[in-house]
Amino acid sequence: MPALVGRTHRAQQSYWYCTPAGLAEAAASGELAPRACRTTGKRIAASKTGLREHGLALVDTVVAFDHAEVAECADWQVEVAHPTPAGNLVSDGVMLLADGSSVFVEIDRAMSYARLVAKLERYDAYRNAPPSGRGNAARAPRSHWQETYAGPSLDRPFPPVLFVFAPAPRRAAPATREASFHDRAQRTHRPASSSWTAKAV
């Protein structure tokens, strides 16, 4: 029987990931929502420290929400691309809640505050992008976010954006980074349509 997980060693530590067989087994279980581009995680496990630690921080976030009974591990998608007029916006994670609504999740370990605010502005650009379909006699054209997240009757608002500040070497403590980000984001032009929050872990 092929191995379901693999392991790579870096810096005297072991990092585990799904093998293709493990990914196939997980998909066959019916516990994961169908998705075309699911990957094994081997590239992240074997990557340089920044990408690998970012991936681990995202896993920690998923597990924390699972333990808090907010969303199960299977209710997440990671590295989700969303089209905007300026190119794709890639969310670190999209969390599906029990009521059918979604939350965008961004993990910060080493990004500058300017880049974090710029990403928040990209979310607003995604929200305000023009409709992507033609519509028909029964309904008006809808934007990508409405087609994907608003529900069939458009009763759900644009998903909130949650920034999670994870510990990182040579960086200020997460709570300090959270406070600084709040301050900078509020001093920057932020349209009222954006809904966001930040959380230190």
Side-chain angles (χ1 to χ4, degrees), residues 56-91:
L56 291 173
L58 178 56
V59 170
D60 287 342
T61 300
V62 172
V63 171
F65 276 96
D66 183 79
H67 286 173
E69 299 183 350
V70 175
E72 296 182 359
C73 295
D75 294 330
W76 284 74
Q77 295 183 62
V78 298
E79 299 295 320
V80 184
H82 303 90
T84 80
N88 278 347
L89 161 70
V90 180
S91 302

Side-chain angles (χ1 to χ4, degrees), residues 32-189:
L32 299 179
R35 187 179 175 197
C37 301
R38 209 176 291 280
T39 61
T40 66
K42 181 177 181 179
R43 181 180 67 87
I44 293 176
S47 67
K48 293 182 179 180
T49 300
L51 180 60
R52 185 176 65 248
E53 299 305 322
H54 182 275
L56 291 173
L58 178 56
V59 170
D60 287 342
T61 300
V62 172
V63 171
F65 276 96
D66 183 79
H67 286 173
E69 299 183 350
V70 175
E72 296 182 359
C73 295
D75 294 330
W76 284 74
Q77 295 183 62
V78 298
E79 299 295 320
V80 184
H82 303 90
T84 80
N88 278 347
L89 161 70
V90 180
S91 302
D92 287 335
V94 178
M95 176 173 55
L96 178 66
L97 303 179
D99 65 359
S101 63
S102 298
V103 177
F104 298 123
V105 180
E106 292 295 331
I107 307 295
D108 172 61
R109 293 185 68 257
M111 289 179 69
S112 67
Y113 295 118
R115 288 180 63 193
L116 288 173
V117 171
K119 189 136 196 193
L120 184 62
E121 291 172 343
R122 292 285 300 279
Y123 276 102
D124 199 70
Y126 173 56
R127 183 192 189 283
N128 293 310
S132 54
R134 294 182 179 179
N136 53 44
R139 65 170 200 177
R142 299 180 179 183
S143 65
H144 183 273
W145 85 260
Q146 289 172 323
E147 289 283 1
T148 309
Y149 299 110
S153 59
L154 300 181
D155 58 340
R156 300 189 189 110
F158 186 76
V161 183
L162 174 66
F163 285 83
V164 177
F165 295 88
R170 297 181 297 279
R171 292 294 308 276
T176 300
R177 301 206 317 273
E178 175 192 357
S180 296
F181 173 66
H182 269 289
D183 180 60
R184 289 172 187 250
Q186 289 167 354
R187 285 190 281 114
T188 302
H189 171 66

